[in-house]
């Protein structure tokens, strides 16, 4: 059709008034925001490396989805106050239960078999039901969210199948799946179209408030044991340039530990402005990408990186500190400092000029670009987190960096002693 800019059926009234549309979109906004927080809360507790990586990507996409929905909702004569609200008590309960997933398979089933497919179905229906001309901005938004959802669901199914092939039983997650489905139905489905049940389901596991794990989990079945500090890579070549290059690859792969630190900051801080969470979601996903740069570089060299000890020193030793300190340590202590020579530029130049390694040159080029953004995030948010100026934050980060250095030296000594 070439009339109406290709928009079909401009004559129907469609199902949603502005007010009704805003109400439903507020549920979508809430669900994506909760999925984002869930991903952050669960990431350090999950074992499988591929799951950690995908959680990082998907929580970033959920934060972006929530952000876009917020804009659209405000265009629908809606007060920004309503963006702070939980739309429905049973939906709140659903997410309080979902975060209590106790295994990779439970989380996978709850998110990728229950919540995400239900969202996709609701968006498909919404796009059919709404008036396509009057509500074009929503249609365009839901179309792009659906495309992300399809990829996420496909990934989730693939991951579940892979775990099953490796002997994981779906029976272990059957009750979790049924419970989450039950909460969703009682909440009236994604958009509330079925009406909320007057029988509010009972709490299951959520009587205890979920807390971030005290130790970041690494996959005991497939990986070397967790290590608080940097560990040796066996069978390194004699050439110092090659040694530095491979250590740099491993250091990139170890950035999953920075990811987990960011996840804890997101989860533990509940009341920052929304923009903060979108920035941190981006920051977090960038660090996942950096870890995957390292993975890809090591795999391209044929190095069995999974068998090596797995660094958790960016999370375990500092999880007891305040979220503001954890974020300042990373974004000001490390990332802002890496903007000065030698820093990130020297890593890039080394890969380009000394190691002459095209893949690592490309990775470090973008790693450096990402880090410029991260240092800016740190300068933007840490003063607000501390209620002090940037100079104060830099001094706090210095103190925490020095303490960290001592901790690592003690750890390294202990390793030596244990031989
Ligand atoms: Fe990084
Ligand atoms: Fe970074």
């Amino acid at each position: 059709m070439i009339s109406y800019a290709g928009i079909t059926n401009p004559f129907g009234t469609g199902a949603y008034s502005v007010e009704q549309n805003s109400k439903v979109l507020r549920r979508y906004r809430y669900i994506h925001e909760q999925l984002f927080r869930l991903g952050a809360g669960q990431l350090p507790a999950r074992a499988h490396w591929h799951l950690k990586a995908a959680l990082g990507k998907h929580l970033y996409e959920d934060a972006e989805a929530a952000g876009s929905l917020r804009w659209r909702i405000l265009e629908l004569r809606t007060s920004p106050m309503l963006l702070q609200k939980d739309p429905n008590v049973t939906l709140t309960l659903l997410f309080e239960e979902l975060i209590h997933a106790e295994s990779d398979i439970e989380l996978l089933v709850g998110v990728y078999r229950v919540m995400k497919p239900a969202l996709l179905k609701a968006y498909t229906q919404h796009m059919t039901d709404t008036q396509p001309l009057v509500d074009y901005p929503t249609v365009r938004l839901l179309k792009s969210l659906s495309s992300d959802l399809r990829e996420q669901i496909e990934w989730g199914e693939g991951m579940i199948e892979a775990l099953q092939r490796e002997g994981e039983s779906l029976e272990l997650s059957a009750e979790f799946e049924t419970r989450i489905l039950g909460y969703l139905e009682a909440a009236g489905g994604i958009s509330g179209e079925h009406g909320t049940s007057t029988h509010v389901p009972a709490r299951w596991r959520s009587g205890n408030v979920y807390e971030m794990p005290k130790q970041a989990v690494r996959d005991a079945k497939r990986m070397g044991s967790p290590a608080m500090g940097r560990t040796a890579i066996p069978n390194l070549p004699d050439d110092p340039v090659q040694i530095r290059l491979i250590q740099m690859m491993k250091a990139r792969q170890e950035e999953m530990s920075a990811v987990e630190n960011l996840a804890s900051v997101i989860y533990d801080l509940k009341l920052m402005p929304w923009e903060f969470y979108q920035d941190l979601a981006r920051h977090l996903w960038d660090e996942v990408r950096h870890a995957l740069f390292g993975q890809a570089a090591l795999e391209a060299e044929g190095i069995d990186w999974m068998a090596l000890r797995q660094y958790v020193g960016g999370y375990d030793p500092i999880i007891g500190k305040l979220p503001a300190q954890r974020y300042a340590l990373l974004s000001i202590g490390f990332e802002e400092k890496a903007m000065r020579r030698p820093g990130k530029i020297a890593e890039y130049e080394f890969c380009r000029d000394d190691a002459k390694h095209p893949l690592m040159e490309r990775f470090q080029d973008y790693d450096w670009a990402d880090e410029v953004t991260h240092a800016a995030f740190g300068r933007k948010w840490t003063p607000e987190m501390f209620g002090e100026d940037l100079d104060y934050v830099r001094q706090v980060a210095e103190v925490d960096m020095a303490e960290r250095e001592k901790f690592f030296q003690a750890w390294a000594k202990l390793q030596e002693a244990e031989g």
Side-chain angles (χ1 to χ4, degrees), residues 16 24 27-28 31 118-119 121-123 125-126 129 184-185 187-196:
Y16 298 110
V24 177
R27 288 176 73 106
Y28 302 163
I31 293 166
L119 269 177
K121 212 172 142 205
Y123 292 172
Q125 195 62 47
H126 197 124
D129 292 347
L184 183 59
E185 269 163 31
I190 295 290
S191 52
E193 75 272 28
H194 312 313
T196 313

Side-chain angles (χ1 to χ4, degrees), residues 255 283 287 290 335 371 374:
E255 289 193 42
H283 193 166
E287 303 304 355
H290 300 169
E335 294 174 327
E371 293 308 334
H374 301 169

Side-chain angles (χ1 to χ4, degrees), residues 330-348:
L330 176 65
S331 65
I332 301 299
F334 281 100
E335 294 174 327
E336 189 187 50
K337 207 164 286 162
M339 295 300 104
R340 292 194 295 272
R341 276 186 183 277
K344 281 290 154 189
I345 185 166
E347 289 182 346
Y348 165 69

Side-chain angles (χ1 to χ4, degrees), residues 2 6 21 33 69 75 78 90 111 121 140 145-146 169 187 223 227 250 257 318-320 330 344-345 380 389 406:
I2 53 168
N21 209 2
E33 193 176 315
L69 284 160
E75 292 167 356
T78 304
T90 310
V111 172
K121 212 172 142 205
R140 183 166 187 274
L145 301 190
S146 299
S169 164
M223 292 179 138
K250 176 84 167 107
S257 198
I318 60 166
I319 188 65
L330 176 65
K344 281 290 154 189
I345 185 166
K380 178 175 165 189
D389 62 15
K406 263 193 206 147

